[in-house]
């Protein structure tokens, strides 16, 4: 049997290619699990220049399999940043005007403390010895990073999917530190259907014989097949039936006839297999377990006595929520419920539902209506904040 490929993310776990902020035992991270994480580190990227008033900072929160390389080349894949279409000099989020910060979340695998990081108590990767991480834990760590820059109030916090969950948590936990918030394609809690899909993915990883109870690094193994299947299942949820049909239909892959076997006869099969195998080169399997669990545990209303409006009581933050008509992972109803809660809390809120057949992943793609909504909201908020164009 061929040896597993070397995980490129392994090298990034402790010594990332991006800047990293390390916190010693005197500054532990308090976790919802009831324990303290210490020492720990946060890997991040910044773009643009922080102004003298420290009033032009934008925090971008990444999605489940994202990272801090939002507008710069990814050191593992060599690909452009995952939101370079939106962020950069002269772009909608203009780094000639704004100071953009994006950090790898705690529990991730590209430099912030996660299951692939070295546990100082053992000298080995944490594996499942790392406490379960929540969205609130991620935001607490980000808040410590923001403190490091001496920023009292962020001009804007934005992100999609799991990133949108972080935006909502920021606005709820630190309302006085968020001038404007832009949650995209997200929800105030994970639905039972979403939890179910995540559980399928986790079970695929844990059923891989190379998983070794999460200690695969110690065995020189990686649960590639299980993680690839998990990614394939998840990737289907990011798309829509219309998009799949438009792109693939029932077209055959490099053949004229059915093989009457179990090879990838159809283009969609080949596409999903490719997605799975390229994913295992850039992501850690245990981190996938932790990231999906953090989304499953997120329930902002439950954290406030079951009333979502109470999560935003008295907020002065300006909100804009965006959903997509074909997103069945976080359907428009999820965004509407947040809008209703914000209205009940007396918040300043706008809402845009964008017509598209591209599904949940639309927030990562070149969607003119999305960009127009972001540009309008950012521009209006900047004027209200007194930031010159």
């Amino acid at each position: 049997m061929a040896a597993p490929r070397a995980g490129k993310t392994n090298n990034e776990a402790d010594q990332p290619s991006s800047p990293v902020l390390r916190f010693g035992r005197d500054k532990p991270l308090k976790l919802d699990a009831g324990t303290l994480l210490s020492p720990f580190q946060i890997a991040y990227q910044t773009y643009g220049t922080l102004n003298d008033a420290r009033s032009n900072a934008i925090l971008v929160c990444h999605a489940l399999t994202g990272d801090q390389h939002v507008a710069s080349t990814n050191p593992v894949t060599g690909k452009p940043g995952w939101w370079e279409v939106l962020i950069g000099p002269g772009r909608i989020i203009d780094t000639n005007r704004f100071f953009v910060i994006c950090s790898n979340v705690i529990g991730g695998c590209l430099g912030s403390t996660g299951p692939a990081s070295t546990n100082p108590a053992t000298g080995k990767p944490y594996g499942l010895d790392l406490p379960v991480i929540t969205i609130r834990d991620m935001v607490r760590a980000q808040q410590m990073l923001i403190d490091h820059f001496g920023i009292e109030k962020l001009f804007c916090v934005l992100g999609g999917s799991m990133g949108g969950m972080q935006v909502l948590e920021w606005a709820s936990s630190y309302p006085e530190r968020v001038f404007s918030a832009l949650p995209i394609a997200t929800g105030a809690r994970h639905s039972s259907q979403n939890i179910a899909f995540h559980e399928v993915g986790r079970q695929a990883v844990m059923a891989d014989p190379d998983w070794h109870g999460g200690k695969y690094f110690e065995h020189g193994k990686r649960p590639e097949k299980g993680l690839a299947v998990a990614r394939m299942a998840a990737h289907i949820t990011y798309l829509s039936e219309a998009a799949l049909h438009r792109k693939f239909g029932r077209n055959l892959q490099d053949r004229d006839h059915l093989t009457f076997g179990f090879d990838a006869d159809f283009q969609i099969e080949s596409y999903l297999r490719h997605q799975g195998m390229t994913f295992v080169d850039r992501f850690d399997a245990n981190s996938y377990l932790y990231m999906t669990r953090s989304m499953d545990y997120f329930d902002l209303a439950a954290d406030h006595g079951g009333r979502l409006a109470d999560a935003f009581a008295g907020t002065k933050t300006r909100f804009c929520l965006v959903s997509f008509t074909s997103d069945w992972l976080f359907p428009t109803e999820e965004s509407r419920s947040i809008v209703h809660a914000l209205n009940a809390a007396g918040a300043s809120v706008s809402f845009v539902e964008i017509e598209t057949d591209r599904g949940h992943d639309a927030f990562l793609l070149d969607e003119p209506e999305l960009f127009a909504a972001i540009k309008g909201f950012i521009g209006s908020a900047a004027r209200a904040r007194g930031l010159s164009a």
Side-chain angles (χ1 to χ4, degrees), residues 45 47 59-74 77 79-87 100-104 110 158-161 163-164 166 184 282 361 363-366 371:
Q45 288 281 20
Y47 312 87
L59 177 67
V60 177
C61 302
H62 70 72
L64 190 154
T65 63
D67 51 54
Q68 67 271 36
H69 303 285
V70 62
S72 51
T73 302
N74 186 295
T77 65
K79 294 182 178 180
W82 51 270
W83 237 359
E84 275 195 4
V85 67
L86 180 68
I87 300 170
V100 176
I101 309 165
C102 186
S103 66
N104 187 215
L110 241 65
L158 77 156
S161 195
Q166 295 165 63
I184 305 169
R282 70 173 182 87
D361 259 1
F363 80 94
L364 294 170
L365 305 175
D366 190 346
F371 295 165

Side-chain angles (χ1 to χ4, degrees), residues 21 36 41 68 78 82 88 154 188 193 196 230 244 252 257-258 262 286 292 358 378 380:
L21 182 62
L36 299 177
Q41 65 184 46
Q68 67 271 36
W82 51 270
L154 290 159
Q193 177 178 256
L244 284 172
L252 299 181
H257 306 284
L258 299 174
F262 296 100
N286 282 338
T292 55
R358 291 166 130 180
I378 292 289
S380 174

Side-chain angles (χ1 to χ4, degrees), residues 200-265:
V200 169
R202 287 191 293 265
Q203 288 299 320
V205 170
M206 293 187 285
D208 191 314
D210 287 336
W211 186 59
H212 291 284
K215 299 182 183 296
Y216 43 88
F217 288 130
E218 297 177 30
H219 293 266
K221 303 284 188 179
R222 293 172 66 230
E224 293 182 347
K225 292 180 179 179
L227 183 58
V229 171
R231 175 62 171 178
M232 290 168 67
H235 197 73
I236 296 169
T237 71
Y238 305 153
L239 307 172
S240 71
E241 193 280 332
L244 284 172
H245 180 75
R246 170 170 46 80
K247 190 170 183 178
F248 303 107
R250 288 180 55 84
N251 298 330
L252 299 181
Q253 177 68 28
D254 299 328
R255 64 201 65 190
D256 297 322
H257 306 284
L258 299 174
T259 64
F260 293 93
F262 296 100
D263 195 8
D265 275 0

Side-chain angles (χ1 to χ4, degrees), residues 143-189:
Q143 182 252 339
M144 294 171 75
L145 175 64
I146 297 307
D147 285 347
H148 167 74
F149 286 106
I151 299 168
E152 292 186 7
K153 176 174 282 193
L154 290 159
F155 164 63
C156 186
V157 184
L158 77 156
S161 195
M162 189 184 86
M165 290 179 170
Q166 295 165 63
V167 175
L168 294 171
E169 186 63 57
W170 259 103
S172 177
S173 292
Y174 305 102
E176 72 288 349
R177 303 195 66 173
V178 181
F179 184 77
S180 62
L182 219 172
I184 305 169
T186 194
R189 90 290 187 264

Side-chain angles (χ1 to χ4, degrees), residues 234-314:
H235 197 73
I236 296 169
T237 71
Y238 305 153
L239 307 172
S240 71
E241 193 280 332
L244 284 172
H245 180 75
R246 170 170 46 80
K247 190 170 183 178
F248 303 107
R250 288 180 55 84
N251 298 330
L252 299 181
Q253 177 68 28
D254 299 328
R255 64 201 65 190
D256 297 322
H257 306 284
L258 299 174
T259 64
F260 293 93
F262 296 100
D263 195 8
D265 275 0
F266 296 97
Q267 286 181 3
I268 182 58
E269 294 175 309
S270 179
Y271 170 77
L272 287 175
R273 292 184 188 190
H274 172 75
Q275 288 292 325
M277 294 315 297
T278 55
F279 181 65
V280 303
D281 281 337
R282 70 173 182 87
F283 213 84
D284 174 59
N286 282 338
S287 190
Y288 190 81
L289 304 184
Y290 278 78
M291 293 296 92
T292 55
R293 205 49 161 168
S294 72
M295 293 183 73
D296 292 349
Y297 279 6
F298 186 66
D299 188 339
L300 203 52
D303 294 339
H304 294 83
R307 190 168 186 268
L308 186 57
D310 289 349
F312 306 109

